[in-house]
Every structure is written in structure tokens, then in C-alpha cells.
């Protein structure tokens, strides 16, 4: 287990009467890429800015590298931020923008030159140095903003939705680039986004927030396949929820009755959250659309059911169906669909019993 | 669409506007420029008095512009960028002088700090002479810093606080941050503000005529020429000396500084709390703002006290006789009110119409209308006044001593304000409204009446009221046009002060102020958010 680099303990923060951060605790590993993910207004930016030192800590504690920084002003924290709209200084050219922090530190000129050289060739923005921020494109501004932060060799890099101003294609390519740079430099990075795809693609760890609280912290596959609660499950990706009653429960499998049908769950006990389910208790099954398979014929084994296609959309790599079954509407994704795929009528499908996740009432 | 057939009423309107501008702005300028003979111009170089006067004007231009801009900046910075207590109050106080006649600052300071000053003599027992350049410097600083404040408040507000956060985050703090980020970003705004203040200082007539004593500046010297020697050629030469730098500053301000601004670079202005200001800085800013605010409030205090005491400096008993006399028997006050109301209305109507045509129509002479409507902003009041007194006191248009000449000068001196408001308003109203109406068959005058007018009611009222206030408080424009038959309140205040009748002058000034503030208050009460005056 690597050591924790940024530690947040019981942090709370209000603007006036509204509580924006509510008793947040989070440990961030050294060199990791951690994403704060959550819907708009849940307090991600506020948390990030508190780490950066723009907001005073009201209650709780923020420490960076064994040092409590509650009262350390922003400019002494060495936690450098890349702003959502980049905040490049319009009165300076790109070179001056990038070297600003070093000049403030009174770094010797040769050293500034050397670091600048290294950073700009790394980010491939060498030819922009003499232009002003108004004269370069959005993607280039993004790189310059990143360069301005990276050249400081910060202890912690903070990014607040740095890709949200870019168009979809560029976003995907810069996403990969950013992740690559982060892994090469092994710099502790905290990244804010409300885009779950971005979070899943880039992060080592994802912290999912809602109303100023952290709902779950885990690896991308943790939060995707083993969400702690319904909020996380539905916020990260698409999900089908089926409520039911536990009939039998053993190490090997759990049987749940829903709408008169019996569904078998073979989730590994190690992946189960909290405890083993008890017979008779009400429980929610979380099933990803891609964990449901359409069947050609009608085998009578476990977890196969009948349904009626209500609607579908063609998404290129897959077809998404809305199927009436088990007394509800289920979303089913079929990847690599045959050209003559069915678009209407009755079908059979099977739910992958190993990929059903149990969500307990109390969570 | 491009070659739309022009309708008759529209053509007549354009013709009328262009004709008025030629007649009442271009012609008087032309008259002043051509009035002096060659030898009059040569005399600039040979006449030592002219030279000294010009240098005096230059000195005041530098001093007052510097201090007024500096204080304006301190106010704007404090109000927009710090958490110094009392920011709202400071803002309110700094806006007051904009609705008041500029000369009242000098007048009040004579009463407060002069030889018989309430504070200097009454309170401190000093024998101070406030007449002279120092007094003028103080008065102009207080009178014109609000102009700088307004401009820079806008500029500072539009600088994204994000940039300051970024600077802080990269290691800059306090003074370093201010020096490397805030100040450079505000620099174009500061330059713009300074130039606007410079134009006002240069053209200022009311303050120097009251307070500068024997220290004469171009504007007052021109007046002396006419008053003392009936030397109109000399006055014209002096006012041309005044016009030249004013025009240059105006053009620099409008076409160079106006464009060089960082305001639009970052689009989204994020809501971020203001960072705490350092304790020392907070104290310094608060002290400066508080001191200046006291100086502003003293102006009003002085005037009010002056209006209600029997004899300033020797008899401090209270009386209402001056006020009663003014309210019951002052012809000047009645003229001021009626002339300004007519002029304010005509001016804003004219300005709005011109703004409508310029922003919505394509016609030959559009650029001329645009430029000429903005031009009065660069004309020193006395220049225009002299122009009218030369141009409209002889056949074919002899308006000497009439109400018309005063009203016309007020109308055209004020159109720039209304015109700018109008252009701003029409820019905000999407042309697609009128395109839709035209598409549905409405003629262009009908569009103006039924679509545009309802939408610009607010800006129109704002500009009407501003023009009214500017007209009722102006002195420089009307001073050359006034006779006993048509003189207005400001003219009579000037004479009363120079003859030492402070009580009556103060009472009259107070009434003017009451009218000004009352009008604003009433407009705000009646129209609420529809009308704005200097963003309040
Ligand atoms: N300066 C402020 N003053 C008052 N309330 C604020 C302030 N900044 C944020 N808030 C409120 O705090 C809450 C959390 O804001 P925050 O900016 O942290 O959200 P976010 O998760 O970053 O959202 P988004 O994804 O939209 O950026 C919101 O309800 C917001 O309205
Ligand atoms: Mg945010």
C-alpha cells in the first residue's frame, strides 16, 4: 500500500446557510490519479478549491504530505491548479504565462529557460510561445494552462473540469494524453469532472460525491460493478434495478424472487457489500445493460426470461433495447449485433448471474 | 434586403438630423475656428499672458487628472476587489458629485476652508487662503474622481477573479499579485479613465472661475477676455487652444485605448468570493476612502449650512430668508427648470433618433452622424458657448438674449450622453424584432413607433433625466450666452459668489441639488429598474 499524500479529515464547509461540504474524509495516494465525480452542484469544485487554499477550512483538516495546511495560504501550498476556463493571463504572452510562477519564485533565468524548454517540448507547444492567449485555440490553451502548472513541479496537481471547454473528439484525445503525462511524471493528481466516462477512463481512484457527501471511493471497476448504493450505480453508467425478496442465501449463490420469477445471483462473496443477505429480506439487484444476453432460442436454464421489445436505438457498436420483462422495463445492450437483428416482438434473454450486484436496503 | 427602397418619412428624418447637426454643431465650431484673424493666432506666441494661462491649464491638467484618477482607482479597487468595510457607502458617496454642478465643490470649499471658512477659521482659527491653484487642485480632484471611479469600476469588475486566484495559486501574494496581475489588467481602464478625466479638467470652467483667484486657466481667461475687453477674437483663440488637446485626448481615448482592453478575453466570469485583503492594506484603503468621502460630504454640508445662516463668517444665526427668496422670486430658477426640461427632452429625443438611424439603417452620411453626435463630448463647454455666441447672434439667425439660444446650446452640448445610451440600447435589442415586423408589413417609422420605442423607453427616460440634470447644472456652455433676459440659475450663482452673496448662492445651489437628486429619486421610484443612471 502506497503512502497517502493528501488527507482530508472531516471537512465541512457552508456558504451562508447551505452546507456544501458535509463531513468529508478522503485519503489520496501518492502518485495516483484521483477523480472527484458527481452531479452539478455537489461540491466538487468547492472541495478542490479548499485543497488549493482558495477557501478557508471551516471545520476539519486538510493535509498535504504530512503537513496540515489549514492555515497555509494558497501560494505556499505547492498545490497547483488548472482552471476550468484556464485563467491564462491575457496581458502576458504564452512564454510569460508559463514562466510566471517560476519568476515569482525568483528562479534563476537559466533554470527557467531549461524548464520551459523541457515543458513546452513535452507538451508540444514550442511554436506558441510568443503569441497571446487570445491567439491560440481552446486545445492549445488547455496545454498552456497545463504547462503553466507542470513547470512548477507541484506536489499536487489540481484540475477542475479542464476538458469541458473542448469539443468531443479533442476531449477524448487529450484525456488519453493527460493520463499518459500523469503516469510518466507520477504526480499526485486530483481531477474534477461530472462526466462519468472521463472518470472511468482516467482514474486510479474515483470518489463519487452527492450533496456534499462522499458516496463511495474505489477503483473504476469497483464503482462500476460493485456500487455501494443505488445513487452510485445509476450515476456511473446505465443500470437496471430490480427489487425483490431474498429466498435462499448461501456462499455459492443467492436466490431472489422478483415479480414471481426467481433470479439467481452468483456474485463472489468477497465482492458483496457489508454482509451475506438474509432470507426474507428485501433487496435490490443492480444489473448493467451489457450483462444481459439476448438468446436465439429458448433454453430453460437459470436466469433466462421472456420479454417484449418496446423500443430500440442503434448506437453503432451496439444496439440498446428497452424490453418489457419481469414486470418492468429493462435496458439491454447488444454488442456486435447481427445485421438482421430483431427490432420488435417477443424475445428471450439471460442475465449473467456472476454480474448481478446486490444492494442492501440500508445503504 | 440591401437595396431596400427607402421610404419617404425616413428620408426626411435623416435629412432633418443631418441638417441639425450641421447647423448646431458643425457651424458653431466652424465659426469659432474662422473668427480670429491670422494676427490673433500669432499673438498666442507673443502674449505672455496667454502663454502663462496655457501653462497653468497644462499644470492643472496634469495635477488634477493624476489625483482624480488615483483616487478613482483606489475607490474602484476597494469597492470591487476587497472586503474593506463600508464599500457600499463609499460607492454611493463617490457617485453623488456626478449629479451635481461641478462648481459647487469650489463654492463649498471656499465656505469651508477659505479665509472665513467654517473649518479653517471657525474651528481651527487659521488664516488660510484657499484661492489659487492649490484650492483648484483640491476642488477638481473631488469633482472629477467619480468619473474615473465609474470607468474603472466597470473595468475592474470585468476582470475575472479567476486570474487573481491563478496568480495566487502560482505563488504570488499581496503586492506581487497586484503588481503582476491586477494592475496590468486594469491598465487600459486606468488610461481610459485618466483621459476622460483630463477632458473634464481641461474644460472645467466653474471651479477655476470661483476658486482659482488670479491663477487663470484657458477657460476662465477666455471669459475674462469677453467680459473685460469684449475681445471675442481673443476668447476664440483661447478656446481653440483648449479644444486642440481636448480633441486629441478624445480621439486617443475613443479609438485607441477604447479598443485595447482585456475585458473580453475570458468569457465566463465565475462567482468567487473576494480574497481577504491584508490588514495593513485594508487600513490604508479604508483611510483614503473615508477621508475622501468626508471631503465629498463636506461639500454638501457646507452648501446646506450656507443656505441657512444669515451671514457667512460673521453671523451664524439661522434663517430661511434666502431659501424663501429663491423659491418665491427667482426668475433664474424658473428659467433653469423650464429650459432644462425642454432641452433635456429635445436632446434625448434627438439623440435616440440619431442612435436608431445609425444602428439600424444604412445611409450616406451615417458615419458623419455617428461622429458628430459623439463630438460634443470632446468640446469644452465654453468652446461651444463661444461658437453659439458668434454664430447665432447675427443675421440670418439672431437669437441674442433669447431663451432659444440657451436651450439649443443645452440640447446639442448634451447629445453625446443620450446618443451613447441609445447606441447601447439598440445594440441590445435584437434587429430580428424589427425584421420580423418589417416582414409582416410594417413600415420603418411604424416599426420605430411600435417595436423599438416600447423597448427603449427605459434608456430614453434615463437619458432624458441625465440630459436634464446636465443642463440644469451646466455653467460653461451658457456663460457666454447669458443676458439679463435669459440667464439661468448657475449663471446667477456664479455672479452671487463673485459678489460675496454666499447665502443666496448657497440656497440656489441647494435648490438645484434638490431638483437633481429629487428627479433621480422620483425616476427610480416610478420606473425602478427600467432606468439607470451611472449603473445606479
Ligand atoms: N461562492 C459561493 N457562494 C455561495 N454558494 C456557492 C459558492 N460557490 C458554490 N456555491 C454553491 O455550493 C454548491 C457546490 O458548488 P460547487 O461549485 O462546488 O459545485 P460543483 O460540484 O463543482 O458543480 P459543477 O459540476 O456545476 O461545477 C452549489 O450549490 C453552489 O451553488
Ligand atoms: Mg465545478
Amino acid at each position: 500500500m502506497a503512502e497517502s499524500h493528501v488527507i482530508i479529515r472531516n471537512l465541512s464547509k457552508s456558504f451562508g446557510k447551505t452546507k456544501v461540504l458535509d463531513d468529508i474524509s478522503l485519503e489520496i495516494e501518492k502518485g495516483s490519479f484521483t477523480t472527484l465525480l458527481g452531479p452539478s452542484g455537489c461540491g466538487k469544485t468547492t472541495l478542490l478549491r479548499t485543497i488549493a487554499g482558495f477557501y478557508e477550512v471551516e471545520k476539519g483538516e486538510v493535509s498535504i504530505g504530512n503537513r496540515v495546511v489549514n492555515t497555509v495560504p494558497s501560494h505556499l501550498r505547492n498545490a497547483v491548479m488548472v482552471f476550468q476556463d484556464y485563467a491564462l493571463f491575457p496581458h502576458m504572452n504564452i512564454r510569460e504565462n508559463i514562466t510566471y510562477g517560476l519568476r515569482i519564485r525568483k528562479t534563476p533565468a537559466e533554470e527557467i529557460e531549461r524548464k520551459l524548454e523541457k515543458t513546452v517540448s513535452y507538451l508540444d507547444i514550442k511554436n506558441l510561445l510568443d503569441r497571446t492567449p487570445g491567439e491560440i485555440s481552446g486545445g492549445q490553451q488547455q496545454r498552456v494552462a497545463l504547462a503553466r502548472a507542470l513547470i512548477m513541479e507541484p506536489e499536487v496537481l489540481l484540475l477542475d473540469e479542464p476538458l469541458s471547454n473542448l469539443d468531443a473528439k479533442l476531449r477524448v484525445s487529450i484525456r488519453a494524453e493527460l493520463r499518459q503525462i500523469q503516469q510518466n511524471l507520477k504526480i499526485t493528481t486530483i481531477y474534477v469532472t461530472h462526466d462519468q466516462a472521463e472518470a472511468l477512463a482516467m482514474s486510479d481512484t474515483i470518489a463519487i460525491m452527492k450533496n456534499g457527501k462522499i458516496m463511495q471511493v474505489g477503483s473504476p471497476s469497483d464503482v462500476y460493478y460493485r456500487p455501494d448504493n443505488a445513487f452510485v450505480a445509476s450515476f456511473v453508467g446505465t443500470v437496471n434495478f430490480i427489487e425483490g425478496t431474498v429466498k435462499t442465501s448461501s456462499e455459492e449463490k443467492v436466490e431472489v424472487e422478483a415479480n414471481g420469477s426467481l433470479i439467481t445471483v452468483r456474485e463472489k462473496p468477497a465482492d458483496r457489500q457489508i454482509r451475506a443477505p438474509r432470507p426474507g429480506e428485501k433487496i435490490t439487484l443492480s444489473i448493467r445493460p451489457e450483462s444481459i444476453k439476448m438468446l436465439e432460442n429458448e433454453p430453460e436454464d437459470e436466469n433466462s426470461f421472456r420479454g417484449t421489445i418496446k423500443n430500440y436505438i442503434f448506437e453503432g457498436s451496439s444496439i440498446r433495447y428497452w424490453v418489457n420483462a419481469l414486470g418492468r422495463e429493462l435496458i439491454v445492450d447488444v454488442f456486435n449485433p447481427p445485421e438482421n437483428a430483431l427490432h420488435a416482438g417477443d424475445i428471450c434473454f439471460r442475465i449473467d448471474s456472476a454480474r448481478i450486484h446486490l444492494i442492501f436496503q440500508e445503504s | 434586403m440591401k437595396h431596400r427602397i427607402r421610404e419617404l418619412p425616413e428620408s426626411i428624418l435623416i435629412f432633418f438630423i443631418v441638417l441639425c447637426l450641421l447647423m448646431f454643431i458643425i457651424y458653431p465650431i466652424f465659426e469659432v475656428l474662422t473668427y480670429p484673424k491670422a494676427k490673433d493666432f500669432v499673438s498666442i506666441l507673443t502674449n505672455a499672458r496667454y502663454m502663462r494661462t496655457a501653462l497653468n491649464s497644462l499644470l492643472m491638467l496634469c495635477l488634477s487628472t493624476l489625483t482624480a484618477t488615483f483616487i478613482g482607482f483606489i475607490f474602484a479597487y476597494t469597492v470591487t476587489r476587497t472586503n474593506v468595510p463600508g464599500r457600499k457607502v463609499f460607492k454611493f458617496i463617490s457617485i453623488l458629485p456626478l449629479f451635481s454642478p461641478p462648481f459647487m465643490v469650489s463654492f463649498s470649499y471656499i465656505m469651508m476652508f477659505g479665509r472665513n471658512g467654517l473649518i479653517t477659521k471657525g474651528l481651527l482659527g487659521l488664516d488660510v487662503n484657499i484661492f489659487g491653484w492649490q484650492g483648484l487642485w483640491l476642488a477638481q480632484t473631488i469633482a472629477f474622481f467619480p468619473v474615473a471611479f465609474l470607468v474603472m469600476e466597470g473595468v475592474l469588475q470585468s476582470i475575472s477573479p479567476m486570474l487573481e486566484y491563478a496568480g495566487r495559486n502560482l505563488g504570488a501574494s499581496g503586492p506581487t499579485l497586484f503588481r503582476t496581475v491586477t494592475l496590468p489588467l486594469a491598465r487600459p481602464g486606468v488610461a481610459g479613465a485618466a483621459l476622460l478625466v483630463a477632458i473634464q479638467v481641461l474644460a472645467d470652467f466653474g471651479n477655476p472661475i470661483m476658486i482659482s483667484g488670479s491663477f487663470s486657466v484657458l477657460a476662465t481667461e477666455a471669459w475674462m477676455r469677453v467680459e473685460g475687453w469684449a475681445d471675442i477674437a481673443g476668447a476664440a483663440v483661447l478656446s481653440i487652444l483648449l479644444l486642440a488637446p481636448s480633441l486629441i485626448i478624445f480621439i486617443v481615448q475613443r479609438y485607441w485605448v477604447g479598443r485595447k482592453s482585456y475585458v473580453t478575453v475570458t468569457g465566463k466570469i465565475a462567482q468567487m468570493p473576494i480574497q481577504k485583503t491584508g490588514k495593513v492594506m485594508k487600513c490604508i484603503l479604508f483611510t483614503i476612502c473615508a477621508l475622501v468621502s468626508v471631503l465629498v460630504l463636506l461639500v454638501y454640508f457646507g452648501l446646506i449650512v450656507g443656505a441657512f445662516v444669515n451671514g457667512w463668517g460673521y453671523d451664524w444665526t439661522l434663517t430661511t430668508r434666502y431659501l424663501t427668496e429663491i423659491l418665491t422670486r427667482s426668475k433664474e430658477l424658473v428659467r433653469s427648470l423650464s429650459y432644462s426640461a425642454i432641452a433635456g427632452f429635445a436632446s434625448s429625443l434627438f439623440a435616440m433618433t440619431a442612435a436608431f438611424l445609425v444602428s439600424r439603417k444604412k445611409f450616406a452620411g451615417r458615419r458623419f452622424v455617428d461622429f458628430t453626435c459623439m463630438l460634443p463630448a470632446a468640446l469644452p463647454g465654453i468652446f461651444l458657448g463661444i461658437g453659439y455666441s458668434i454664430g447665432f447672434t447675427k443675421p440670418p439667425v439672431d437669437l441674442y438674449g433669447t431663451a432659444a439660444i440657451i436651450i439649443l446650446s443645452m440640447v446639442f452640448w448634451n447629445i453625446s450622453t443620450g446618443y451613447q445610451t441609445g447606441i447601447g440600447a439598440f445594440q441590445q435589442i435584437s434587429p430580428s424584432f424589427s425584421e420580423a415586423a418589417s416582414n409582416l408589413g410594417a413600415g420603418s417609422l411604424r416599426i420605430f413607433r411600435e417595436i423599438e420605442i416600447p423597448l427603449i423607453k427605459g434608456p430614453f427616460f434615463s437619458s432624458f433625466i441625465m440630459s436634464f440634470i446636465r443642463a440644469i447644472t451646466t455653467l460653461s456652455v451658457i456663460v457666454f450666452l447669458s443676458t439679463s433676459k435669459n440667464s439661468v440659475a448657475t449663471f446667477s450663482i456664479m455672479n452671487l459668489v463673485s459678489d460675496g452673496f454666499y447665502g443666496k448662492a448657497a440656497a440656489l445651489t441647494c435648490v438645484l441639488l434638490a431638483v437633481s437628486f429629487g428627479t433621480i429619486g422620483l425616476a427610480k421610484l416610478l420606473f425602478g429598474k427600467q432606468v439607470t443612471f451611472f449603473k445606479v
Side-chain angles (χ1 to χ4, degrees), chain A residues 49 56 75 79 81 91 100, chain B residues 168-169 173 180 184 272 276:
Chain A
R49 286 189 186 151
E56 242 172 272
H75 65 279
M81 178 134 163
H91 59 296
Y100 178 83
Chain B
R168 238 175 246 272
N169 186 239
S173 65
T180 57
M272 290 279 277
K276 289 221 171 81

Side-chain angles (χ1 to χ4, degrees), chain A residues 15 20 39-46 55 161 194, chain B residues 271 273:
Chain A
F15 286 116
V20 178
S40 188
C42 70
K44 309 176 294 281
T45 299
T46 309
Y55 293 151
E161 310 208 24
H194 60 253
Chain B
Q271 52 142 286

Side-chain angles (χ1 to χ4, degrees), chain A residues 259-271:
Chain A
N259 199 41
S261 310
L262 207 59
I263 302 174
T264 311
V265 182
R266 292 175 192 280
E267 189 179 30
K268 284 193 239 104
D271 291 344

